[in-house]
Amino acid sequence: MTALLRLLFGRRARLRWIHLILGGALAMPYVLVGSVVVGPFTGVDDVFGSLTLQLASFAVGLPLAAVTSLFPLTRPLESGVVRWLCGVGADRLAYGPARTKGEKGRTAAWFTLHLGLGGIVAGMSLAVPPFAAWLIALPFVPALRDVPAGLPGVLDHAWALAPVAGAVMLVALAACAAGCGTLLARWAPALLGPSPEDRVAAAEARAADLAVRNRLARELHDSVGHALSAVTLQASAARRLLDSDPEFVREALAAIEDTTRRTVGELDAVLGVLRDGDAPGTAPAPTLAADLDGLLDRTRAGGLRVTATVAADPRALPPPVSREAYRIVQEGLSNALRHAGGQVTVALCVEVRDGQLRITVENPVGPAGGAAHPSGGVPRPGGGHGLRGIADRARLLGGVAEAGPVGRTWRLHVRLPLASTT
């Protein structure tokens, strides 16, 4: 019983009832236009004095409603109302103007259905409650019995049945409104929902947004992660040598200052993209041509021994390759900083061969050299976020990245094509 009452008079049923009443209100101008047509055609001056002529005016007005539904704002407005009053999920509705013939046809069908059912329920809502109240009061107010109402004969003598009939009429009205509201809620996604073209456009927008988020996540991981690893090692080395080698401590503190300043600039650039969609006026992205030497100096200042062989002119590289190559080298050194510390020598080789930029980062693994790979001591290719980011960067440029143990050495090797890069 409680479930039935909730179905007929619950909050959702009441909101859908309001939605139908709004449809009836929207239908009134079309009914008035229909009455202008029906009146002269039938030769009746007072169209609204006859229920039959009212229904005829209503039927004439609905096609006019279908035509006016082609107005561009009809679908967005109807979708917004359906979302809030009918309880239909926002992702199941389209909020842009109908453009194709199919979308316009579905919008016209919806608008006609909304106004048609809404006009019927609104008319019943105006007529039934007063009549039902009169029936319920009939046994208790004898004066009402003299009012001609065209009641069935059984009610002219059995006044006690009148309240029951009035209550049944109210319940029937609620059931009719609930049924029509449920019908509209079920048909709304089909008639007001996104078309296949809308779904494709939404999927493309989500994919583009996800690509931007992934790119920003890689930038944050590579720049901030490398800076934290470098600063941690530099601070640790400075603490150990504070008394015995003040000159090294000064160099380490200077490297920490430089590292944090550069990282703050890169962080501002990334946050600028998040805030504004682009980052005008922020620091440019670091490149292999302009920033490789500084990266090596800051890494060495943390105590990590790095031997670098650069058999290429970084200034001749295409800008996208130069930017991504810098991040790849940065992440390779970060892995060594995090997992091997200052106890091993990292070999970096940057060269151009066979139309490709080749980047190789190698360091010993095992008991003597630590575990300079993201697996934390158990070699496994592609185990960390950093290596996945390197693979993503290489793949975006049409290249490949390989990482894993080769004997007693952990080896990261990346190949980036130069000829096809734009």
Side-chain angles (χ1 to χ4, degrees):
M1 188 64 180
T2 303
L4 179 60
L5 291 176
R6 186 182 300 111
L7 179 64
L8 297 181
F9 303 103
R11 181 176 182 274
R12 175 166 293 182
R14 295 197 303 270
L15 290 176
R16 291 176 176 176
W17 201 335
I18 293 174
H19 179 247
L20 289 165
I21 297 296
L22 290 177
L26 290 174
M28 283 305 299
Y30 301 101
V31 175
L32 292 175
V33 174
S35 68
V36 174
V37 176
V38 172
F41 182 78
T42 58
V44 178
D45 295 333
D46 184 12
V47 173
F48 294 100
S50 168
L51 178 61
T52 302
L53 294 181
Q54 290 182 40
L55 294 176
S57 301
F58 187 55
V60 172
L62 284 180
L64 300 177
V67 173
T68 57
S69 68
L70 300 179
F71 186 66
L73 289 179
T74 300
R75 188 168 73 159
L77 292 176
E78 285 288 325
S79 295
V81 173
V82 168
R83 175 186 176 185
W84 292 109
L85 295 181
C86 291
V88 179
D91 58 333
R92 303 177 65 192
L93 300 170
Y95 297 92
R99 294 184 176 86
T100 66
K101 291 183 178 180
E103 292 175 353
K104 293 178 180 179
R106 289 194 298 272
T107 302
W110 166 263
F111 195 62
T112 304
L113 184 66
H114 181 200
L115 269 59
L117 294 179
I120 293 173
V121 172
M124 294 175 60
S125 299
L126 289 174
V128 171
F131 185 64
W134 182 79
L135 287 176
I136 293 173
L138 198 59
F140 310 103
V141 183
L144 296 177
R145 301 171 189 174
D146 298 329
V147 177
L151 295 177
V154 64
L155 293 180
D156 287 335
H157 305 286
W159 304 113
L161 296 179
V164 176
V168 170
M169 292 179 67
L170 291 176
V171 173
L173 172 61
C176 182
C180 291
T182 302
L183 183 66
L184 287 179
R186 289 184 177 179
W187 283 2
L191 298 177
L192 293 177
S195 64
E197 293 80 7
D198 293 330
R199 293 189 179 93
V200 171
E204 291 176 348
R206 286 194 296 270
D209 180 68
L210 182 60
V212 171
R213 290 175 180 271
N214 287 339
R215 178 174 64 84
L216 296 178
R218 285 197 303 269
E219 294 293 326
L220 287 174
H221 175 274
D222 292 350
S223 61
V224 177
H226 173 80
L228 291 176
S229 299
V231 167
T232 300
L233 278 179
Q234 289 160 353
S236 176
R239 178 181 57 81
R240 292 195 306 269
L241 301 176
L242 181 61
D243 297 325
S244 60
D245 194 348
E247 182 62 28
F248 176 83
V249 173
R250 280 193 292 271
E251 293 178 359
L253 292 177
I256 290 174
E257 179 183 5
D258 181 62
T259 300
T260 53
R261 182 183 296 111
R262 291 179 58 85
T263 303
V264 168
E266 295 178 11
L267 185 60
D268 285 341
V270 174
L271 294 179
V273 174
L274 288 174
R275 286 191 297 265
D276 307 323
D278 54 19
T282 56
T287 62
L288 200 67
D291 301 281
L292 178 59
D293 292 338
L295 174 64
L296 294 176
D297 292 340
R298 291 190 299 274
T299 304
R300 289 167 178 149
L304 186 67
R305 296 188 291 272
V306 181
T307 61
T309 302
V310 181
D313 182 6
R315 294 171 297 180
L317 298 176
V321 174
S322 186
R323 288 194 299 268
E324 301 303 326
Y326 175 87
R327 291 302 191 192
I328 290 170
V329 172
Q330 184 184 53
E331 180 57 31
L333 296 177
S334 295
N335 285 336
L337 281 170
R338 282 193 293 266
H339 301 288
Q343 306 303 316
V344 300
T345 298
V346 178
L348 169 67
C349 179
V350 180
E351 61 179 347
V352 174
R353 188 196 309 169
D354 300 329
Q356 294 178 324
L357 177 67
R358 300 180 178 230
I359 301 171
T360 305
V361 182
E362 296 180 326
N363 60 270
V365 295
H373 50 83
S375 58
V378 181
R380 59 183 178 89
H385 294 289
L387 292 184
R388 284 199 295 271
I390 290 174
D392 289 341
R393 292 179 186 277
R395 186 164 52 250
L396 286 173
L397 295 178
V400 294
E402 301 170 349
V406 180
R408 304 289 298 177
T409 300
W410 176 265
R411 186 172 186 264
L412 168 66
H413 183 62
V414 180
R415 300 190 301 274
L416 304 177
L418 300 177
S420 61
T421 302
T422 58

